[in-house]
Amino acid sequence: MRIDGIRTWRLRADLSEPFAFSQFEYARRETLLIEVSTDEGGAGWGEAYGPAAPAAAAINDFLAPMLVGLDPRDTESLWHFLYARTLDHGQKGTLLAAISALDIAFWDIKAQAAGMPLYRLLGAGYAESIPCYATGFYFGGSVPLEEKFEREARLYLADGFRAVKMKVGLGVERDAELVAAVRRAVGPRIRLMIDANHAYDPVAAAALARRVETQDIFWFEEPVSPLDIEGYLYVKRATSIPLAGGECEHTRFGFEPLLRRRAVDFVQPDLCACGGISEGLKIATLASVYNIHATPHAWGSAVGQAAALHFYAARPRHPASLTAEDKMIECDRTENPFRTAIVKTPVRFERGAWYLPQTPGLGIEIDRSALENFQL
Ligand code: CA
């Protein structure tokens, strides 16, 4: 089997209402999908997390020409080939997002060729579904945030979620008020996580953590800059709330110090950024050495979502115990037509859980005519 073409699809969709988090506002969604075709007629799909234009350029103008004629099932060899070609110029960021998209597409092809859903090819036994947590409670809009968040909380509870994650980053005082409001709205039994998207310095992050400790926070995500491991450790010393992070990190080399120093209690590689399935597996294995739970960050289209689900389903139980398994994957609830409108059958979501696609490969069927509606 040989790669005979790599096509990039830059997608854009305007949102009905903009939303914001601590770093910037979104008025539209954009993503980059890639389609790798082979001489045997099949196609595999991948996605790059982050700005679509530079990732598309990295693939079209640099990486894709090197790949034509190679066997896409050689995932490990191809990953190292691509990484070796980019190492001198981009160990993180866009070039890794481009490699991630290619790697996911190669795994999609390999699993289709094997006639297995990807998670089975990765070595997992049959799995039906994975519980997820709702990512929402963003800023923006004309309604007071307390009111907006109460309404959202009701929706998530009605959808069967047992865990929700809210944004923070509006200043310690305001955050503390909103965290209390969301806790009141969801009640005491729902897991509540907070995510600052690195809006704080260590002192402010520690102050916020102490302020919300009584609200039973399951984790505090990206309290400080992803570059500031000492800052993570400072926050950890100041609070009993576990820390999470990793969506801005890439490759096992980037994750290693974060894990070795126990800067995070939950590590969150994004499969569409960290280096794809191949590298995600290495990062998760490394995390297991340090007894740290790896749960993917997932904010993309149906392609990225399926990649995260298959990857997570194939992770071994950790730690071992007789009690029910405690897996939990991110479920972005912000407006994103690329989750549903570009596939013939969206990944099934029911009562707070994603159901694993059981057809070969990623198990999603892209609707090319729908893609064209969003293509730039
Ligand atoms: Ca996050």
Short mmCIF file of all heavy atoms in Angstrom, two decimals, residues 5-12 29-37 44-53 55-57 59-60 97-98 100-105 108 272 299-307 336-344 362 364-372 374-376:
data_model
loop_
_atom_site.label_atom_id
_atom_site.label_comp_id
_atom_site.label_asym_id
_atom_site.label_seq_id
_atom_site.Cartn_x
_atom_site.Cartn_y
_atom_site.Cartn_z
N GLY A 5 -1.63 10.53 -2.28
CA GLY A 5 -2.04 11.94 -2.23
C GLY A 5 -2.35 12.37 -0.80
O GLY A 5 -2.78 11.55 0.02
N ILE A 6 -2.08 13.63 -0.51
CA ILE A 6 -2.44 14.18 0.80
C ILE A 6 -3.13 15.51 0.53
O ILE A 6 -2.56 16.41 -0.08
CB ILE A 6 -1.20 14.37 1.69
CG1 ILE A 6 -0.57 13.00 1.99
CG2 ILE A 6 -1.58 15.10 3.00
CD1 ILE A 6 0.71 13.05 2.80
N ARG A 7 -4.37 15.60 0.96
CA ARG A 7 -5.15 16.81 0.70
C ARG A 7 -5.47 17.49 2.03
O ARG A 7 -5.85 16.81 2.99
CB ARG A 7 -6.44 16.42 -0.01
CG ARG A 7 -7.33 17.60 -0.27
CD ARG A 7 -8.49 17.24 -1.17
NE ARG A 7 -9.31 18.44 -1.36
CZ ARG A 7 -10.46 18.47 -2.01
NH1 ARG A 7 -10.93 17.37 -2.54
NH2 ARG A 7 -11.14 19.60 -2.13
N THR A 8 -5.31 18.80 2.08
CA THR A 8 -5.67 19.53 3.30
C THR A 8 -7.01 20.22 3.09
O THR A 8 -7.32 20.70 2.00
CB THR A 8 -4.61 20.59 3.66
OG1 THR A 8 -4.40 21.43 2.54
CG2 THR A 8 -3.30 19.94 4.07
N TRP A 9 -7.79 20.24 4.15
CA TRP A 9 -9.10 20.92 4.13
C TRP A 9 -9.08 21.96 5.25
O TRP A 9 -9.13 21.59 6.44
CB TRP A 9 -10.23 19.93 4.40
CG TRP A 9 -10.41 18.86 3.36
CD1 TRP A 9 -9.66 17.74 3.22
CD2 TRP A 9 -11.42 18.82 2.35
NE1 TRP A 9 -10.14 16.98 2.19
CE2 TRP A 9 -11.22 17.61 1.63
CE3 TRP A 9 -12.47 19.66 1.98
CZ2 TRP A 9 -12.03 17.24 0.56
CZ3 TRP A 9 -13.28 19.28 0.92
CH2 TRP A 9 -13.05 18.09 0.21
N ARG A 10 -9.01 23.21 4.88
CA ARG A 10 -9.10 24.27 5.89
C ARG A 10 -10.56 24.64 6.05
O ARG A 10 -11.20 25.10 5.11
CB ARG A 10 -8.31 25.51 5.44
CG ARG A 10 -6.85 25.46 5.84
CD ARG A 10 -6.14 26.72 5.41
NE ARG A 10 -6.63 27.90 6.11
CZ ARG A 10 -6.32 29.15 5.77
NH1 ARG A 10 -5.56 29.38 4.71
NH2 ARG A 10 -6.77 30.16 6.47
N LEU A 11 -11.06 24.45 7.25
CA LEU A 11 -12.50 24.66 7.47
C LEU A 11 -12.72 25.88 8.36
O LEU A 11 -11.96 26.13 9.30
CB LEU A 11 -13.11 23.44 8.14
CG LEU A 11 -12.88 22.08 7.47
CD1 LEU A 11 -13.60 20.99 8.25
CD2 LEU A 11 -13.36 22.10 6.02
N ARG A 12 -13.78 26.59 8.07
CA ARG A 12 -14.14 27.74 8.91
C ARG A 12 -15.67 27.82 9.01
O ARG A 12 -16.38 27.60 8.04
CB ARG A 12 -13.63 29.03 8.29
CG ARG A 12 -14.04 30.27 9.08
CD ARG A 12 -13.53 31.55 8.44
NE ARG A 12 -12.09 31.66 8.57
CZ ARG A 12 -11.36 32.60 7.96
NH1 ARG A 12 -11.93 33.49 7.20
NH2 ARG A 12 -10.06 32.65 8.15
N ARG A 29 -15.13 29.14 14.35
CA ARG A 29 -14.27 27.97 14.56
C ARG A 29 -13.50 27.73 13.28
O ARG A 29 -14.03 27.87 12.18
CB ARG A 29 -15.12 26.72 14.87
CG ARG A 29 -15.97 26.78 16.11
CD ARG A 29 -15.21 26.61 17.39
NE ARG A 29 -14.62 25.33 17.62
CZ ARG A 29 -14.73 24.66 18.79
NH1 ARG A 29 -15.47 25.12 19.78
NH2 ARG A 29 -14.11 23.52 18.96
N GLU A 30 -12.25 27.33 13.44
CA GLU A 30 -11.44 26.95 12.29
C GLU A 30 -10.69 25.68 12.64
O GLU A 30 -10.30 25.48 13.79
CB GLU A 30 -10.39 28.03 12.00
CG GLU A 30 -10.85 29.06 11.02
CD GLU A 30 -9.69 29.93 10.51
OE1 GLU A 30 -8.59 29.40 10.25
OE2 GLU A 30 -9.92 31.12 10.41
N THR A 31 -10.51 24.83 11.67
CA THR A 31 -9.64 23.68 11.91
C THR A 31 -9.06 23.19 10.60
O THR A 31 -9.51 23.59 9.51
CB THR A 31 -10.37 22.55 12.66
OG1 THR A 31 -9.39 21.68 13.24
CG2 THR A 31 -11.28 21.74 11.74
N LEU A 32 -8.05 22.36 10.70
CA LEU A 32 -7.45 21.77 9.51
C LEU A 32 -7.64 20.26 9.56
O LEU A 32 -7.17 19.60 10.48
CB LEU A 32 -5.94 22.07 9.45
CG LEU A 32 -5.27 21.45 8.22
CD1 LEU A 32 -5.59 22.26 6.97
CD2 LEU A 32 -3.77 21.34 8.41
N LEU A 33 -8.34 19.75 8.55
CA LEU A 33 -8.43 18.30 8.39
C LEU A 33 -7.52 17.89 7.25
O LEU A 33 -7.29 18.66 6.33
CB LEU A 33 -9.87 17.87 8.07
CG LEU A 33 -10.94 18.14 9.11
CD1 LEU A 33 -12.21 17.37 8.74
CD2 LEU A 33 -10.50 17.78 10.51
N ILE A 34 -7.02 16.68 7.32
CA ILE A 34 -6.25 16.17 6.18
C ILE A 34 -6.80 14.82 5.76
O ILE A 34 -7.31 14.05 6.58
CB ILE A 34 -4.74 16.07 6.47
CG1 ILE A 34 -4.46 15.00 7.52
CG2 ILE A 34 -4.15 17.39 6.88
CD1 ILE A 34 -3.06 14.47 7.41
N GLU A 35 -6.66 14.57 4.48
CA GLU A 35 -7.14 13.33 3.88
C GLU A 35 -5.96 12.69 3.17
O GLU A 35 -5.39 13.28 2.25
CB GLU A 35 -8.27 13.67 2.89
CG GLU A 35 -8.86 12.48 2.21
CD GLU A 35 -9.95 12.89 1.21
OE1 GLU A 35 -10.12 14.11 0.95
OE2 GLU A 35 -10.62 11.99 0.68
N VAL A 36 -5.58 11.53 3.62
CA VAL A 36 -4.47 10.81 3.00
C VAL A 36 -5.05 9.69 2.16
O VAL A 36 -5.79 8.83 2.68
CB VAL A 36 -3.51 10.23 4.07
CG1 VAL A 36 -2.41 9.38 3.43
CG2 VAL A 36 -2.90 11.35 4.91
N SER A 37 -4.79 9.70 0.86
CA SER A 37 -5.33 8.64 0.00
C SER A 37 -4.22 7.68 -0.40
O SER A 37 -3.03 8.03 -0.38
CB SER A 37 -6.01 9.24 -1.23
OG SER A 37 -5.10 10.07 -1.91
N GLY A 44 -7.55 7.99 4.71
CA GLY A 44 -7.52 8.16 6.16
C GLY A 44 -7.61 9.63 6.48
O GLY A 44 -7.19 10.48 5.68
N TRP A 45 -8.17 9.94 7.65
CA TRP A 45 -8.39 11.33 8.03
C TRP A 45 -7.60 11.69 9.28
O TRP A 45 -7.46 10.86 10.20
CB TRP A 45 -9.87 11.60 8.26
CG TRP A 45 -10.65 11.54 6.99
CD1 TRP A 45 -11.18 10.42 6.40
CD2 TRP A 45 -10.95 12.64 6.12
NE1 TRP A 45 -11.79 10.76 5.20
CE2 TRP A 45 -11.66 12.12 5.01
CE3 TRP A 45 -10.67 14.01 6.15
CZ2 TRP A 45 -12.11 12.93 3.96
CZ3 TRP A 45 -11.12 14.82 5.10
CH2 TRP A 45 -11.82 14.27 4.02
N GLY A 46 -7.12 12.92 9.30
CA GLY A 46 -6.43 13.43 10.48
C GLY A 46 -6.80 14.87 10.71
O GLY A 46 -7.43 15.52 9.85
N GLU A 47 -6.41 15.40 11.85
CA GLU A 47 -6.72 16.78 12.19
C GLU A 47 -5.54 17.41 12.93
O GLU A 47 -4.88 16.74 13.73
CB GLU A 47 -7.97 16.83 13.09
CG GLU A 47 -8.35 18.25 13.51
CD GLU A 47 -9.72 18.34 14.18
OE1 GLU A 47 -10.34 17.28 14.42
OE2 GLU A 47 -10.16 19.47 14.44
N ALA A 48 -5.29 18.68 12.64
CA ALA A 48 -4.25 19.44 13.34
C ALA A 48 -4.92 20.45 14.26
O ALA A 48 -5.80 21.18 13.84
CB ALA A 48 -3.35 20.16 12.34
N TYR A 49 -4.49 20.47 15.51
CA TYR A 49 -5.04 21.41 16.49
C TYR A 49 -4.30 22.74 16.36
O TYR A 49 -3.10 22.78 16.16
CB TYR A 49 -4.85 20.84 17.90
CG TYR A 49 -5.33 21.70 19.03
CD1 TYR A 49 -6.64 22.18 19.05
CD2 TYR A 49 -4.49 22.03 20.08
CE1 TYR A 49 -7.09 22.96 20.11
CE2 TYR A 49 -4.94 22.81 21.15
CZ TYR A 49 -6.24 23.27 21.15
OH TYR A 49 -6.68 24.05 22.19
N GLY A 50 -5.03 23.83 16.48
CA GLY A 50 -4.39 25.14 16.42
C GLY A 50 -4.64 25.83 15.10
O GLY A 50 -5.48 25.37 14.31
N PRO A 51 -3.94 26.91 14.84
CA PRO A 51 -4.18 27.69 13.62
C PRO A 51 -4.05 26.83 12.37
O PRO A 51 -3.05 26.12 12.19
CB PRO A 51 -3.09 28.77 13.66
CG PRO A 51 -2.62 28.82 15.07
CD PRO A 51 -2.85 27.46 15.65
N ALA A 52 -5.06 26.89 11.50
CA ALA A 52 -5.13 25.97 10.37
C ALA A 52 -4.14 26.33 9.26
O ALA A 52 -3.56 25.45 8.63
CB ALA A 52 -6.56 25.95 9.82
N ALA A 53 -3.95 27.64 9.01
CA ALA A 53 -3.15 28.04 7.84
C ALA A 53 -1.69 27.58 7.94
O ALA A 53 -1.17 26.99 6.99
CB ALA A 53 -3.25 29.55 7.64
N ALA A 55 -0.42 25.17 9.73
CA ALA A 55 -0.35 23.70 9.71
C ALA A 55 -0.55 23.20 8.29
O ALA A 55 0.12 22.25 7.85
CB ALA A 55 -1.40 23.11 10.66
N ALA A 56 -1.46 23.84 7.55
CA ALA A 56 -1.69 23.45 6.14
C ALA A 56 -0.43 23.68 5.33
O ALA A 56 -0.04 22.85 4.50
CB ALA A 56 -2.86 24.24 5.56
N ALA A 57 0.24 24.82 5.57
CA ALA A 57 1.47 25.11 4.82
C ALA A 57 2.55 24.09 5.16
O ALA A 57 3.28 23.63 4.27
CB ALA A 57 1.96 26.53 5.16
N ILE A 59 2.18 21.04 5.97
CA ILE A 59 1.88 19.77 5.30
C ILE A 59 2.06 19.91 3.78
O ILE A 59 2.81 19.15 3.16
CB ILE A 59 0.46 19.30 5.67
CG1 ILE A 59 0.44 18.89 7.15
CG2 ILE A 59 0.02 18.14 4.77
CD1 ILE A 59 -0.93 18.66 7.73
N ASN A 60 1.38 20.89 3.20
CA ASN A 60 1.39 20.99 1.73
C ASN A 60 2.77 21.31 1.18
O ASN A 60 3.19 20.74 0.17
CB ASN A 60 0.41 22.07 1.27
CG ASN A 60 -1.03 21.64 1.52
OD1 ASN A 60 -1.35 20.46 1.43
ND2 ASN A 60 -1.88 22.60 1.84
N ALA A 97 1.73 19.73 15.28
CA ALA A 97 0.30 19.58 14.94
C ALA A 97 0.16 18.97 13.54
O ALA A 97 -0.69 18.11 13.31
CB ALA A 97 -0.42 20.92 15.02
N ALA A 98 1.04 19.39 12.63
CA ALA A 98 1.02 18.83 11.28
C ALA A 98 1.37 17.35 11.30
O ALA A 98 0.70 16.52 10.68
CB ALA A 98 1.99 19.61 10.38
N SER A 100 1.01 15.40 13.82
CA SER A 100 -0.11 14.73 14.51
C SER A 100 -1.23 14.38 13.52
O SER A 100 -1.76 13.26 13.54
CB SER A 100 -0.71 15.66 15.59
OG SER A 100 0.27 16.02 16.54
N ALA A 101 -1.57 15.35 12.68
CA ALA A 101 -2.66 15.11 11.71
C ALA A 101 -2.30 13.96 10.78
O ALA A 101 -3.12 13.06 10.51
CB ALA A 101 -2.92 16.38 10.90
N LEU A 102 -1.04 13.95 10.31
CA LEU A 102 -0.60 12.87 9.41
C LEU A 102 -0.63 11.54 10.14
O LEU A 102 -1.13 10.53 9.61
CB LEU A 102 0.82 13.18 8.90
CG LEU A 102 0.91 14.37 7.93
CD1 LEU A 102 2.34 14.87 7.81
CD2 LEU A 102 0.35 13.98 6.56
N ASP A 103 -0.11 11.51 11.34
CA ASP A 103 -0.04 10.26 12.11
C ASP A 103 -1.44 9.69 12.37
O ASP A 103 -1.65 8.48 12.25
CB ASP A 103 0.68 10.52 13.44
CG ASP A 103 0.82 9.27 14.27
OD1 ASP A 103 1.71 8.46 13.99
OD2 ASP A 103 0.00 9.09 15.21
N ILE A 104 -2.40 10.56 12.70
CA ILE A 104 -3.77 10.08 12.95
C ILE A 104 -4.34 9.47 11.66
O ILE A 104 -4.96 8.40 11.67
CB ILE A 104 -4.66 11.23 13.47
CG1 ILE A 104 -4.22 11.62 14.89
CG2 ILE A 104 -6.14 10.82 13.46
CD1 ILE A 104 -4.82 12.93 15.38
N ALA A 105 -4.08 10.14 10.53
CA ALA A 105 -4.59 9.60 9.25
C ALA A 105 -3.94 8.26 8.92
O ALA A 105 -4.60 7.34 8.42
CB ALA A 105 -4.33 10.61 8.13
N ASP A 108 -5.59 5.68 10.98
CA ASP A 108 -6.94 5.44 10.46
C ASP A 108 -6.86 4.43 9.31
O ASP A 108 -7.59 3.43 9.27
CB ASP A 108 -7.55 6.77 10.00
CG ASP A 108 -8.99 6.66 9.53
OD1 ASP A 108 -9.65 5.63 9.83
OD2 ASP A 108 -9.47 7.59 8.86
N CYS A 272 -4.19 15.75 18.53
CA CYS A 272 -4.03 16.52 17.29
C CYS A 272 -2.90 17.54 17.40
O CYS A 272 -2.71 18.36 16.51
CB CYS A 272 -5.33 17.23 16.93
SG CYS A 272 -6.72 16.11 16.74
N TRP A 299 -10.82 19.00 21.67
CA TRP A 299 -11.59 20.21 21.39
C TRP A 299 -11.86 20.35 19.90
O TRP A 299 -12.25 21.41 19.42
CB TRP A 299 -10.79 21.42 21.91
CG TRP A 299 -11.65 22.51 22.43
CD1 TRP A 299 -12.41 22.49 23.56
CD2 TRP A 299 -11.85 23.81 21.85
NE1 TRP A 299 -13.07 23.69 23.70
CE2 TRP A 299 -12.73 24.51 22.68
CE3 TRP A 299 -11.35 24.43 20.70
CZ2 TRP A 299 -13.15 25.82 22.41
CZ3 TRP A 299 -11.75 25.73 20.43
CH2 TRP A 299 -12.65 26.41 21.28
N GLY A 300 -11.63 19.28 19.17
CA GLY A 300 -11.63 19.41 17.72
C GLY A 300 -12.91 18.96 17.06
O GLY A 300 -13.99 18.93 17.66
N SER A 301 -12.77 18.60 15.78
CA SER A 301 -13.89 18.13 14.96
C SER A 301 -14.17 16.67 15.31
O SER A 301 -13.55 16.09 16.21
CB SER A 301 -13.51 18.23 13.49
OG SER A 301 -12.57 17.20 13.18
N ALA A 302 -15.05 16.08 14.53
CA ALA A 302 -15.36 14.66 14.71
C ALA A 302 -14.10 13.80 14.55
O ALA A 302 -13.98 12.74 15.17
CB ALA A 302 -16.41 14.22 13.70
N VAL A 303 -13.14 14.28 13.76
CA VAL A 303 -11.92 13.50 13.53
C VAL A 303 -11.07 13.47 14.80
O VAL A 303 -10.67 12.40 15.28
CB VAL A 303 -11.11 14.09 12.34
CG1 VAL A 303 -9.79 13.34 12.17
CG2 VAL A 303 -11.93 14.04 11.06
N GLY A 304 -10.81 14.65 15.36
CA GLY A 304 -10.03 14.71 16.58
C GLY A 304 -10.72 14.03 17.74
O GLY A 304 -10.09 13.38 18.59
N GLN A 305 -12.03 14.17 17.76
CA GLN A 305 -12.82 13.55 18.83
C GLN A 305 -12.71 12.02 18.76
O GLN A 305 -12.48 11.36 19.78
CB GLN A 305 -14.27 13.98 18.61
CG GLN A 305 -15.24 13.47 19.61
CD GLN A 305 -16.66 13.79 19.15
OE1 GLN A 305 -16.98 13.76 17.96
NE2 GLN A 305 -17.50 14.09 20.09
N ALA A 306 -12.83 11.48 17.55
CA ALA A 306 -12.72 10.02 17.40
C ALA A 306 -11.32 9.55 17.76
O ALA A 306 -11.15 8.52 18.41
CB ALA A 306 -13.08 9.61 15.97
N ALA A 307 -10.31 10.32 17.35
CA ALA A 307 -8.92 9.94 17.67
C ALA A 307 -8.74 9.87 19.19
O ALA A 307 -8.15 8.92 19.71
CB ALA A 307 -7.94 10.94 17.05
N ASN A 336 -19.80 23.92 17.67
CA ASN A 336 -18.78 23.45 16.73
C ASN A 336 -19.43 22.55 15.69
O ASN A 336 -19.60 21.35 15.91
CB ASN A 336 -17.67 22.69 17.47
CG ASN A 336 -16.54 22.32 16.52
OD1 ASN A 336 -16.67 22.47 15.29
ND2 ASN A 336 -15.44 21.83 17.07
N PRO A 337 -19.78 23.13 14.52
CA PRO A 337 -20.44 22.32 13.49
C PRO A 337 -19.54 21.20 12.96
O PRO A 337 -20.05 20.24 12.38
CB PRO A 337 -20.74 23.34 12.38
CG PRO A 337 -19.88 24.51 12.65
CD PRO A 337 -19.59 24.53 14.12
N PHE A 338 -18.22 21.31 13.18
CA PHE A 338 -17.32 20.28 12.64
C PHE A 338 -17.42 18.96 13.42
O PHE A 338 -16.85 17.96 13.04
CB PHE A 338 -15.87 20.75 12.64
CG PHE A 338 -15.67 22.09 12.00
CD1 PHE A 338 -14.77 23.00 12.52
CD2 PHE A 338 -16.41 22.46 10.88
CE1 PHE A 338 -14.59 24.24 11.93
CE2 PHE A 338 -16.25 23.70 10.29
CZ PHE A 338 -15.34 24.60 10.82
N ARG A 339 -18.11 18.99 14.53
CA ARG A 339 -18.32 17.73 15.25
C ARG A 339 -19.43 16.89 14.61
O ARG A 339 -19.41 15.67 14.69
CB ARG A 339 -18.71 18.00 16.71
CG ARG A 339 -17.55 18.09 17.67
CD ARG A 339 -18.03 17.94 19.11
NE ARG A 339 -19.07 18.90 19.43
CZ ARG A 339 -18.85 20.11 19.93
NH1 ARG A 339 -17.65 20.51 20.19
NH2 ARG A 339 -19.86 20.92 20.18
N THR A 340 -20.39 17.59 14.02
CA THR A 340 -21.57 16.87 13.55
C THR A 340 -21.85 17.03 12.06
O THR A 340 -22.21 16.07 11.38
CB THR A 340 -22.81 17.34 14.32
OG1 THR A 340 -22.81 18.79 14.33
CG2 THR A 340 -22.80 16.85 15.76
N ALA A 341 -21.67 18.26 11.53
CA ALA A 341 -22.15 18.55 10.17
C ALA A 341 -21.27 17.96 9.08
O ALA A 341 -21.67 17.93 7.92
CB ALA A 341 -22.26 20.06 9.98
N ILE A 342 -20.06 17.51 9.40
CA ILE A 342 -19.16 17.03 8.34
C ILE A 342 -19.09 15.51 8.29
O ILE A 342 -18.33 14.95 7.50
CB ILE A 342 -17.74 17.61 8.52
CG1 ILE A 342 -17.11 17.13 9.85
CG2 ILE A 342 -17.75 19.13 8.46
CD1 ILE A 342 -15.61 17.33 9.92
N VAL A 343 -19.84 14.85 9.15
CA VAL A 343 -19.82 13.38 9.14
C VAL A 343 -21.22 12.84 8.87
O VAL A 343 -22.21 13.47 9.23
CB VAL A 343 -19.31 12.80 10.49
CG1 VAL A 343 -17.81 12.82 10.55
CG2 VAL A 343 -19.92 13.51 11.68
N LYS A 344 -21.26 11.69 8.24
CA LYS A 344 -22.57 11.11 7.92
C LYS A 344 -23.28 10.68 9.20
O LYS A 344 -24.48 10.87 9.34
CB LYS A 344 -22.42 9.98 6.92
CG LYS A 344 -21.92 10.54 5.59
CD LYS A 344 -22.02 9.60 4.42
CE LYS A 344 -21.64 10.36 3.14
NZ LYS A 344 -20.83 9.58 2.22
N LEU A 362 -10.91 4.99 12.26
CA LEU A 362 -11.49 5.93 13.22
C LEU A 362 -12.99 5.72 13.34
O LEU A 362 -13.62 6.14 14.31
CB LEU A 362 -11.21 7.38 12.79
CG LEU A 362 -9.78 7.91 12.95
CD1 LEU A 362 -9.67 9.30 12.31
CD2 LEU A 362 -9.37 7.98 14.41
N ILE A 364 -15.37 6.99 11.39
CA ILE A 364 -16.21 8.13 11.04
C ILE A 364 -16.26 8.21 9.52
O ILE A 364 -15.27 7.93 8.84
CB ILE A 364 -15.67 9.46 11.60
CG1 ILE A 364 -14.18 9.57 11.31
CG2 ILE A 364 -15.93 9.60 13.08
CD1 ILE A 364 -13.65 10.95 11.47
N GLU A 365 -17.40 8.58 9.00
CA GLU A 365 -17.52 8.69 7.55
C GLU A 365 -17.70 10.16 7.20
O GLU A 365 -18.72 10.76 7.54
CB GLU A 365 -18.73 7.87 7.09
CG GLU A 365 -18.60 7.40 5.67
CD GLU A 365 -19.86 6.66 5.22
OE1 GLU A 365 -20.58 6.11 6.09
OE2 GLU A 365 -20.13 6.68 4.01
N ILE A 366 -16.66 10.72 6.59
CA ILE A 366 -16.69 12.16 6.27
C ILE A 366 -17.61 12.40 5.07
O ILE A 366 -17.59 11.66 4.09
CB ILE A 366 -15.27 12.66 5.94
CG1 ILE A 366 -14.34 12.48 7.15
CG2 ILE A 366 -15.30 14.10 5.46
CD1 ILE A 366 -14.55 13.45 8.28
N ASP A 367 -18.40 13.46 5.20
CA ASP A 367 -19.30 13.86 4.11
C ASP A 367 -18.60 14.99 3.34
O ASP A 367 -18.60 16.14 3.78
CB ASP A 367 -20.61 14.35 4.75
CG ASP A 367 -21.63 14.78 3.72
OD1 ASP A 367 -21.24 14.98 2.54
OD2 ASP A 367 -22.80 14.96 4.10
N ARG A 368 -17.99 14.63 2.19
CA ARG A 368 -17.18 15.63 1.47
C ARG A 368 -17.99 16.83 1.02
O ARG A 368 -17.51 17.95 1.00
CB ARG A 368 -16.50 14.99 0.27
CG ARG A 368 -15.26 14.20 0.67
CD ARG A 368 -14.49 13.73 -0.56
NE ARG A 368 -13.39 12.88 -0.13
CZ ARG A 368 -13.55 11.64 0.31
NH1 ARG A 368 -14.76 11.12 0.40
NH2 ARG A 368 -12.50 10.93 0.68
N SER A 369 -19.25 16.60 0.65
CA SER A 369 -20.04 17.76 0.19
C SER A 369 -20.29 18.72 1.36
O SER A 369 -20.30 19.94 1.19
CB SER A 369 -21.35 17.31 -0.46
OG SER A 369 -22.11 16.58 0.48
N ALA A 370 -20.45 18.18 2.56
CA ALA A 370 -20.62 19.04 3.74
C ALA A 370 -19.31 19.79 4.03
O ALA A 370 -19.32 20.97 4.37
CB ALA A 370 -21.03 18.21 4.95
N LEU A 371 -18.19 19.09 3.83
CA LEU A 371 -16.88 19.74 4.04
C LEU A 371 -16.75 20.96 3.15
O LEU A 371 -16.24 22.00 3.56
CB LEU A 371 -15.74 18.78 3.67
CG LEU A 371 -15.20 17.81 4.68
CD1 LEU A 371 -13.91 17.20 4.15
CD2 LEU A 371 -14.96 18.45 6.03
N GLU A 372 -17.20 20.80 1.90
CA GLU A 372 -17.06 21.90 0.95
C GLU A 372 -17.80 23.16 1.40
O GLU A 372 -17.39 24.27 1.10
CB GLU A 372 -17.49 21.45 -0.45
CG GLU A 372 -16.33 20.76 -1.16
CD GLU A 372 -16.75 19.76 -2.24
OE1 GLU A 372 -17.91 19.87 -2.71
OE2 GLU A 372 -15.92 18.90 -2.58
N PHE A 374 -17.80 24.37 4.26
CA PHE A 374 -17.00 25.07 5.27
C PHE A 374 -15.59 25.40 4.78
O PHE A 374 -14.84 26.05 5.48
CB PHE A 374 -16.88 24.22 6.53
CG PHE A 374 -18.18 23.92 7.21
CD1 PHE A 374 -18.73 22.64 7.19
CD2 PHE A 374 -18.87 24.93 7.87
CE1 PHE A 374 -19.93 22.37 7.82
CE2 PHE A 374 -20.07 24.67 8.50
CZ PHE A 374 -20.61 23.39 8.47
N GLN A 375 -15.26 24.92 3.57
CA GLN A 375 -13.87 25.04 3.15
C GLN A 375 -13.49 26.47 2.77
O GLN A 375 -14.26 27.16 2.11
CB GLN A 375 -13.62 24.12 1.94
CG GLN A 375 -12.15 23.90 1.75
CD GLN A 375 -11.87 23.08 0.51
OE1 GLN A 375 -12.75 22.82 -0.31
NE2 GLN A 375 -10.63 22.68 0.33
N LEU A 376 -12.29 26.86 3.15
CA LEU A 376 -11.81 28.21 2.81
C LEU A 376 -11.25 28.24 1.41
O LEU A 376 -10.63 27.28 0.97
CB LEU A 376 -10.71 28.60 3.81
CG LEU A 376 -11.19 29.11 5.15
CD1 LEU A 376 -10.01 29.31 6.06
CD2 LEU A 376 -11.94 30.42 4.98
#
